[in-house]
């Protein structure tokens, strides 16, 4: 852990988990051929003297160092525990987490669902490595600290390219653009302009609200193998349900289906999912559309995802199964 700033100020804790924001390339101009998760969080903070202008003392801690495509349950547990630990300290104003962009929305939603924090937890990232000629990480870090410093801030949010998104709505929508995230129909929560947050709507509050208890027992017990098995399947032309039958045979406990349009399914895929559901597998229907939500209709036989994207519906279903294991079939 590293500390900078005066000790009697309130603290912002910056937790590092890796990502492109901590990535390096052999050549400064290379924004693609880099390796993520190379630079330590202490070094990233030290390289940004403007962070010292914050009215808060800064602490940094390396929780993980991964390319977020490799994010896993162990890191999620450790991260949730470290966030909970720091938030419990009176002198801590808020948390900033540096994270890769690729699974950032899943981690953000997981933390919101498990912690529903009364203080701000701000995830930030970069689309260009730290060695880029014009890296975006430093400005994102400054904006994230400004957001975490904002009086009244609470809940888990994401800050990227000057835009603040709620953990519930945020989605990565672009492979390359610096402004790679969108909050879809809900719109951004706010914008950071010259170090000041302009807020458009309310901070996120409990979405699932499961509490840390269930995952702490996993962290201290069986580890990753104790997580309920939940997979995602997709509807497309010719989807025939074979993938569903294979997953059921393999012991899956929950399935999220990314349907077409308003959660519609090829009749063969729907039949396989109904069969899985009858066998005790929890099935949730989301949409593969980037915007909009599945609107329930009378007579629906598969529950919809309550507006969650497929990857977030999967996290919610895993937490549900964890909280009420009796609902899962015996495997
Ligand atoms: C990652 O998700 O860790 C790599 C990609 C990125 O951060 O943009």
């Amino acid at each position: 852990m590293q500390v900078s700033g005066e000790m009697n100020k309130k603290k912002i804790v910056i937790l590092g988990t890796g990502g492109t924001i901590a990535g390096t390339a052999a050549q400064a101009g290379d924004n693609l051929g880099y390796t993520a998760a190379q630079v330590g969080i202490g070094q990233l903070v030290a390289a940004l003297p403007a962070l010292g202008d914050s009215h808060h003392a800064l602490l940094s801690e390396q929780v993980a160092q991964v390319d977020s495509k490799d994010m896993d349950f162990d890191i999620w547990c450790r991260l949730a525990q470290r966030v909970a630990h720091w938030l419990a300290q009176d002198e801590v104003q808020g948390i900033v987490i540096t994270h890769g962009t690729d699974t950032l929305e899943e981690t953000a939603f997981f933390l919101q669902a498990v912690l529903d924090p009364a203080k701000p937890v701000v995830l930030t990232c970069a689309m260009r490595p730290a060695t880029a000629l014009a890296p975006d990480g430093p400005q994102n870090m400054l904006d994230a600290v400004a957001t975490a410093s904002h009086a009244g801030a609470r809940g888990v949010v994401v800050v990227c390219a000057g835009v603040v998104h709620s953990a519930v709505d945020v989605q990565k929508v672009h492979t390359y653009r610096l402004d790679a995230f969108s909050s879809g129909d809900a719109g951004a929560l706010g914008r950071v302009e010259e170090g000041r947050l302009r807020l458009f709507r309310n901070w996120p509050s409990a979405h699932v609200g499961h509490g840390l208890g269930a995952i702490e027992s996993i962290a201290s017990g069986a580890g990753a193998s104790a997580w309920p098995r939940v997979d995602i399947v997709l509807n497309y032309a010719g989807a025939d349900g074979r993938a569903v039958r294979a997953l059921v045979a393999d012991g899956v406990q929950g399935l999220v289906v990314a349907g077409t349009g308003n959660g519609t399914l090829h009749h063969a895929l729907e039949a396989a999912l109904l069969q899985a559901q009858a066998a005790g597998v929890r099935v949730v229907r989301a949409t593969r559309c980037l915007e909009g939500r599945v609107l329930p209709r009378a007579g629906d036989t598969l529950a919809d995802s309550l507006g969650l994207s497929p990857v977030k519906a999967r996290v919610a279903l895993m937490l549900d199964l964890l909280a009420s294991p009796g609902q899962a079939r015996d495997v």
Side-chain angles (χ1 to χ4, degrees):
M1 181 208 312
Q2 308 200 2
V3 186
S4 67
E6 295 164 37
M7 293 310 292
N8 57 353
K9 289 178 175 176
K10 278 222 160 197
K11 296 181 174 68
I12 303 270
V13 181
I14 307 181
L15 304 177
T17 71
T20 293
I21 193 167
T24 56
Q27 283 163 0
D30 192 348
N31 288 335
L32 294 178
Y34 62 87
T35 308
Q38 300 300 300
V39 185
I41 190 64
Q43 216 181 319
L44 286 180
V45 171
L48 199 48
L51 277 176
D53 299 342
S54 161
H55 295 299
H56 296 87
L58 303 175
L59 267 72
S60 65
E61 181 183 318
Q62 195 80 48
V63 175
Q65 187 65 300
V66 290
D67 185 319
S68 81
K69 72 181 173 52
D70 298 323
M71 186 50 65
D72 62 31
F73 300 137
D74 286 345
I75 297 175
W76 273 1
C77 284
R78 200 157 67 241
L79 185 59
Q81 287 175 316
R82 294 312 292 159
V83 171
H85 164 83
W86 284 114
L87 290 183
Q89 324 279 319
D90 286 343
E91 70 276 16
V92 170
Q93 149 71 23
I95 310 275
V96 168
I97 301 172
T98 56
H99 195 291
T101 59
D102 286 345
T103 58
L104 181 137
E105 69 214 56
E106 290 170 63
T107 301
F109 181 77
F110 170 76
L111 292 174
Q112 177 61 40
V114 166
L115 300 173
D116 186 22
K119 294 178 183 177
V121 175
V122 184
L123 285 86
T124 195
C125 55
M127 290 295 285
R128 291 181 184 155
T131 49
L133 290 172
D136 52 330
Q139 186 62 53
N140 286 345
M141 285 261 273
L142 289 170
D143 290 349
V145 170
T147 303
S149 307
H150 188 85
R154 59 155 294 151
V156 182
V157 299
V158 169
V159 171
C160 182
V163 186
V164 185
H165 304 270
S166 157
V168 178
D169 303 307
V170 69
Q171 221 174 332
K172 185 172 179 181
V173 294
H174 205 278
T175 55
Y176 183 72
R177 232 169 40 199
L178 301 190
D179 188 4
F181 290 87
S182 166
S183 288
D185 290 345
L189 197 101
R191 282 182 180 272
V192 185
E193 295 158 340
E194 297 300 314
R196 295 175 70 90
L197 174 63
R198 183 156 58 103
L199 200 61
F200 304 147
R201 57 190 181 89
N202 289 340
W203 296 96
S205 58
H207 190 80
V208 185
H210 281 295
L212 194 53
I215 65 159
E216 277 186 321
S217 58
I218 288 180
S220 60
S225 63
W227 284 84
R229 228 350 265 279
V230 178
D231 278 292
I232 300 174
V233 292
L234 189 70
N235 191 48
Y236 41 80
D240 60 8
R242 260 187 290 183
V244 170
R245 285 189 287 278
L247 287 165
V248 173
D250 198 42
V252 80
Q253 290 158 277
L255 285 169
V256 173
V257 57
T260 27
N262 190 31
T264 57
L265 302 170
H266 188 289
H267 63 85
L269 177 60
E270 185 172 22
L273 288 166
L274 287 171
Q275 216 174 5
Q277 186 169 256
V281 176
R282 288 275 302 277
V283 182
V284 171
R285 203 164 42 94
T287 176
R288 68 180 213 186
C289 291
L290 269 190
E291 300 206 359
R293 57 176 297 168
V294 174
L295 295 163
R297 292 185 307 179
D300 278 345
T301 46
L302 296 171
D304 71 81
S305 67
L306 304 175
L308 294 177
S309 67
V311 291
K312 289 182 187 171
R314 173 176 176 266
V315 174
L317 183 50
M318 282 193 306
L319 292 172
D320 252 15
L321 288 167
L322 207 54
S324 25
Q327 288 180 24
R329 69 184 189 144
D330 290 333
V331 289

